[in-house]
């Protein structure tokens, strides 16, 4: 076979190969929730740059009774950047280069996925870029994990017609949750887990129940009154109360198009030994002149609680208020 004929035979295969690489769509990510792949060489990872990454992205989650990292970090050297390391929902690629650069790419290697590229001439300049962009990176990471969780819920959803009828809202709730109590302006759902349970409560209070200048105290007072009315232990005289030894973490956000107060803290069962974390969303539904409260809490004394609470957060953030 002459050389010209051989090249003509190879050309279609070469063109197909190039076309495949260009047109290949990202794989579906199947990574564990709240996990980051950090692509960085060992020399940087074991120095000040690695310390900065760990301080920012593995800092303790607010509102949990024991320290648990915001994200679980898996580090890979750049030369091993292939296979499952590219399938994470969140990837940070850090390296030294000829310029200082921060770049965000969506669905670069898999979907859904955030990929953050950070390069700098020196370790100091890389750390500066990390420090500057960390809040936005964390925000994007948590948002994609919420969406991923909600997509998982859709595989098997609870019938929420009772919630829709009572509160005029839609929620994505996994079918493993069951209704355990329904009252006039209150619903309690629970999911049993090994050695414990997770709970979601929904209730409605008058429009002027929470005041701007006393919001935290008003929220604590309200949730303690709900605990007294509905959430009791197995023994007489037990009721859920907000843990008084620690001040809750409080922030203002927007949820379902409305002003919302997010409160994280710990609860305990008065006159009992049960306790755990809670996350409370107090939504000012201006159109209907009411305050909606959605709260998740768990009792899991022998388990880590980060992902349990994140599931509850993802359920609550799926809320849609009907017109």
């Amino acid at each position: 076979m002459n050389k010209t004929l051989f090249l003509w035979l190879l050309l279609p295969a070469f063109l197909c190969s190039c076309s495949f690489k260009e047109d290949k769509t990202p794989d579906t990510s199947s990574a564990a929730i709240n996990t980051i792949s950090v692509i960085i060489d060992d020399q940087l990872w074991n120095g000040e740059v690695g310390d900065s990454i760990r301080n920012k992205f593995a800092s303790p989650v607010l509102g949990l009774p024991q320290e648990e990292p915001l994200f679980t970090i898996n580090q890979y050297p750049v030369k091993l950047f292939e296979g499952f390391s590219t399938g994470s929902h969140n990837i940070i690629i850090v390296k030294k280069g000829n310029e200082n650069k921060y770049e965000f790419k969506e669905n670069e290697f898999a979907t859904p996925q955030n990929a953050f590229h950070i390069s700098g001439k020196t370790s100091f300049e890389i750390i500066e870029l990390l420090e500057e962009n960390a809040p936005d990176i964390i925000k994007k990471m948590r948002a994609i994990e919420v969406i991923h969780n909600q997509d998982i819920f859709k595989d098997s959803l609870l019938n929420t017609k009772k919630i829709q009828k009572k509160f005029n809202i839609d929620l994505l709730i996994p079918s493993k949750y069951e209704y355990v109590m329904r009252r006039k302006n209150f619903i309690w759902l629970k999911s049993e887990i090994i050695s414990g349970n997770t709970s979601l409560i929904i209730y409605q209070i008058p429009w002027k129940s929470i005041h701007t200048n006393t919001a935290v105290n008003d929220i604590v007072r309200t949730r303690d009154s709900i605990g007294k009315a509905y959430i009791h232990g197995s023994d007489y005289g037990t009721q859920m109360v907000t843990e008084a030894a620690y001040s809750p973490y409080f922030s203002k956000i927007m949820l379902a198009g409305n002003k919302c107060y997010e409160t994280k803290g710990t609860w305990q069962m008065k006159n009992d030994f049960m306790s755990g974390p809670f996350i409370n969303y107090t939504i000012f539904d201006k159109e209907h002149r009411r305050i909606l409260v959605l709260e998740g809490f768990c009792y899991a004394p022998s388990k880590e609680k980060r992902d349990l609470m994140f599931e509850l957060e993802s359920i609550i953030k799926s809320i849609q208020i009907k017109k």
Side-chain angles (χ1 to χ4, degrees), residues 255-267:
L255 188 56
N258 290 277
K259 182 178 77 172
C260 176
Y261 293 153
E262 180 187 67
T263 310
K264 299 179 181 181
T266 51
W267 62 270

Side-chain angles (χ1 to χ4, degrees), residues 146-208:
V146 166
I147 292 170
H148 177 66
N149 246 355
Q150 292 170 351
D151 285 340
I152 294 173
F153 300 161
K154 292 174 184 177
D155 292 338
S156 182
L157 287 171
L158 179 74
N159 186 326
T160 58
K161 286 184 179 179
K162 295 171 184 175
I163 295 172
Q164 294 171 15
K165 185 177 180 180
K166 189 177 291 292
F167 297 109
N168 202 38
I169 62 173
D170 282 324
L171 282 171
L172 299 176
I173 304 177
S175 58
K176 63 184 178 180
Y177 283 81
E178 298 180 349
Y179 294 92
V180 295
M181 184 181 293
R182 286 184 293 148
R183 296 294 184 266
K184 182 180 179 182
N185 286 312
F186 176 86
I187 286 182
W188 180 5
L189 302 103
K190 185 184 290 188
S191 172
E192 297 296 334
I193 59 175
I194 297 173
S195 302
N197 52 70
T198 57
S199 288
L200 173 70
I201 58 174
I202 308 165
Y203 55 95
Q204 181 176 305
I205 55 178
W207 177 248
K208 294 186 178 181

